[in-house]
Amino acid sequence: MGLPGWLPILTQLVVLRFLVAQPMEPIRVFMVPHSHMDVGWIHTVQESLQAYASNVYTSVVQELMLQEHRCFIAVEQEYFRLWWDGIASDRQKRQVRHLLATRRLEFVIGGQVMHDEAVTHFDDQILQLTEGHGFLYETFGIRPRFSWQVDPFGASATTPTLFALAGFHAHIISRIDYDLKGAMQKNQGLQFVWRGSPSLAANQEIFTHVLDQYSYCS
């Protein structure tokens, strides 16, 4: 094959090389490990605590102390409270206070559980949030800044109102209708200000982010 025959192939290779050689914008990846342990599911609370939940907090505190750049967010207070009151050593408690002070450990939502907002009555939602927040404030003098509902199925109009009035700065959710999430992905609408009803005031709305995947990650 002479040069004329190779010319189309050479042209394609040159173009391909030019395209591949173009520098790409760096992609910033944020990885924030978080706890997700259902307080009520297959086993009792005590069975789950002994099987895996207590070891989560023991190992997390240990690993966070090894590297200063590591961070973790804890969600359900029922397991953490039981670990704190009955399992954690004095040394581990000092480490937890240090991690909270350096903002490498953070509590989100802060309720006793991550309640299923679509079926739970709002009185129960308020009660479990009050108990969890009370424990955190009495023990550490802190209040959670973000609400975190990555596993509950469905979202009620009560949610933005309740969480806004609870003082949360922003809200994270995941499980919504698949077609709706697909449309939001296409239209870049995964972040929005959520107001449960047009009749409500601005202090009853909350900035909301929907995780773009169908699991607990984004």
Side-chain angles (χ1 to χ4, degrees):
M1 181 184 297
L3 182 58
W6 283 102
L7 191 57
I9 299 177
L10 291 173
T11 302
Q12 294 180 28
L13 291 175
V14 170
V15 172
L16 182 62
R17 176 179 175 83
F18 175 78
L19 293 175
V20 173
Q22 294 301 306
M24 298 179 62
E25 291 293 329
I27 299 176
R28 300 183 65 186
V29 178
F30 298 89
M31 179 177 295
V32 183
H34 62 91
S35 70
H36 176 54
M37 299 176 286
D38 291 312
V39 176
W41 191 36
I42 297 177
H43 307 292
T44 67
V45 173
Q46 289 297 331
E47 288 172 342
S48 298
L49 181 71
Q50 296 174 5
Y52 58 85
S54 63
N55 187 55
V56 168
Y57 294 113
T58 297
S59 59
V60 162
V61 171
Q62 177 182 341
E63 293 300 320
L64 290 180
M65 294 301 296
L66 296 178
Q67 298 289 339
E68 292 186 356
H69 68 278
R70 293 176 176 174
C71 299
F72 188 85
I73 58 177
V75 183
E76 302 85 3
Q77 289 311 304
E78 178 66 12
Y79 288 132
F80 180 84
R81 181 181 60 82
L82 292 172
W83 176 81
W84 178 268
D85 289 340
I87 298 175
S89 65
D90 290 339
R91 180 171 181 268
Q92 288 171 326
K93 291 183 177 181
R94 290 193 298 269
Q95 291 174 333
V96 167
R97 294 185 185 278
H98 169 73
L99 293 170
L100 290 171
T102 55
R103 301 187 70 173
R104 293 164 53 207
L105 175 64
E106 181 177 3
F107 294 102
V108 294
I109 204 167
Q112 291 296 94
V113 300
M114 186 193 302
H115 61 262
D116 195 335
E117 61 203 78
V119 297
T120 306
H121 196 271
F122 69 88
D123 282 349
D124 299 318
Q125 298 181 25
I126 294 172
L127 177 60
Q128 68 93 21
L129 280 175
T130 301
E131 291 185 0
H133 286 203
F135 165 76
L136 290 176
Y137 190 79
E138 293 170 3
T139 307
F140 305 112
I142 61 175
R143 292 183 59 188
R145 297 180 299 160
F146 302 98
S147 49
W148 183 269
Q149 296 282 90
V150 298
D151 191 36
F153 293 78
S156 68
T158 304
T159 298
T161 306
L162 174 61
F163 288 165
L165 294 177
F168 291 124
H169 296 182
H171 181 49
I172 311 295
I173 61 177
S174 180
R175 293 189 183 274
I176 62 175
D177 179 80
Y178 287 175
D179 292 336
L180 176 59
K181 178 174 284 194
M184 295 172 73
Q185 291 173 331
K186 181 178 180 180
N187 298 323
Q188 298 184 348
L190 292 171
Q191 294 182 339
F192 56 93
V193 176
W194 188 7
R195 183 179 295 189
S197 170
S199 64
L200 298 176
N203 67 336
Q204 297 169 316
E205 64 186 19
I206 191 168
F207 176 80
T208 302
H209 172 74
V210 183
L211 300 184
D212 62 348
Q213 302 300 314
Y214 298 98
S215 59
Y216 310 134
C217 303
S218 184

